[in-house]
């Protein structure tokens, strides 16, 4: 994700097609400082380099622009988890819930309960011990252990005032 949009009259697609107008720095002083610090190698070459690397690796990608940011979405074949309306996982489910790329961890590295906790957090914006226990049909202790383990791995973050806070929950880190 990159904060900000493309300059007016410019788009990611024009850079991919090679039809973009002359590159213009928004803030030359910051760009020079980043270049001198070695954080960036060149100005205005990111999109063509993303395209070249993805084509070489056989990875599809697309750009999405929100109200105030530009996001590159990478799609890895075979990594998508779909959940049908009835909540059961299916290869060609009725709606997409989340992909493992959003979690930055291979699905094989997550237990069934961990995957379900991540799906609940992605779908609902957060997950509680009770919600996971009810949904996964496990004890509250098992649900609590599962959520703490995901938080320890950095896949979820705990939000609450203290261990006995009735409003505590877990969410995917922002």
């Amino acid at each position: 994700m990159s904060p900000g949009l493309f300059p007016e009259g410019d788009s990611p697609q024009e850079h991919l097609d090679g039809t973009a107008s002359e590159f213009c720095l928004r803030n030359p002083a910051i760009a020079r400082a980043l270049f001198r610090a070695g954080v960036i190698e060149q100005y205005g070459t990111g999109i063509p380099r993303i395209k070249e690397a993805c084509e070489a690796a056989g990875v599809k990608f697309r750009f999405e622009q929100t109200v105030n940011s530009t996001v590159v979405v990478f799609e890895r074949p075979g990594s998508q988890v779909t959940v049908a309306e009835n909540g059961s996982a299916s290869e060609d489910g009725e709606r997409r819930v989340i992909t493992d790329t959003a979690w930055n961890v291979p699905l094989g590295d997550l237990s069934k309960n961990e995957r379900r906790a991540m799906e609940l957090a992605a779908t609902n914006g957060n997950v509680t011990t009770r919600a996971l226990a009810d949904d996964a049909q496990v004890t509250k202790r098992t649900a609590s252990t599962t959520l703490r383990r995901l938080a320890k791995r950095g896949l979820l973050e705990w939000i609450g005032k203290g261990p006995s806070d009735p409003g505590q929950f877990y969410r995917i880190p922002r």
Side-chain angles (χ1 to χ4, degrees), residues 113 132-143 146:
N113 291 338
L132 179 59
D134 291 346
D135 188 87
Q137 297 180 345
V138 296
T139 65
K140 285 185 182 177
R141 183 178 182 143
T142 298
T146 300

Side-chain angles (χ1 to χ4, degrees), residues 2-163:
S2 177
L5 299 174
F6 277 73
E8 191 172 323
D10 198 2
S11 73
Q13 191 59 46
E14 290 173 333
H15 288 268
L16 292 170
D17 297 341
T19 60
S21 58
E22 186 175 317
F23 179 72
C24 177
L25 297 173
R26 285 187 189 206
N27 191 322
I30 290 176
R32 278 192 302 276
L34 292 173
F35 178 76
R36 288 181 182 153
V39 175
I40 60 174
E41 297 173 9
Q42 294 175 307
Y43 307 128
T45 61
I47 292 175
R49 290 175 30 205
I50 289 171
K51 178 182 179 184
E52 183 178 304
C54 286
E55 285 176 349
V59 173
K60 292 181 181 180
F61 71 99
R62 68 182 184 280
F63 285 90
E64 294 178 359
Q65 292 194 306
T66 65
V67 174
N68 58 3
S69 66
T70 301
V71 179
V72 183
V73 179
F74 299 95
E75 298 177 18
R76 295 186 335 200
S79 67
Q80 183 168 296
V81 173
T82 57
V83 176
E85 292 297 330
N86 65 9
S88 63
S90 66
E91 192 173 310
D92 58 351
E94 298 169 20
R95 65 184 171 103
R96 188 176 76 135
V97 173
I98 194 165
T99 66
D100 69 323
T101 55
W103 307 333
N104 200 24
V105 64
L107 286 175
D109 290 353
L110 296 177
S111 71
K112 179 181 172 185
N113 291 338
E114 288 171 333
R115 273 193 300 251
R116 192 63 199 135
M118 295 300 293
E119 290 167 355
L120 288 169
T123 302
N124 303 327
N126 66 61
V127 60
T128 63
T129 300
R130 168 172 260 158
L132 179 59
D134 291 346
D135 188 87
Q137 297 180 345
V138 296
T139 65
K140 285 185 182 177
R141 183 178 182 143
T142 298
S144 178
T145 301
T146 300
L147 293 171
R148 283 196 311 273
R149 189 170 46 241
L150 288 168
K152 187 175 181 180
R153 291 174 69 184
L155 296 173
L156 291 178
E157 66 179 341
W158 177 81
I159 306 295
K161 295 178 182 171

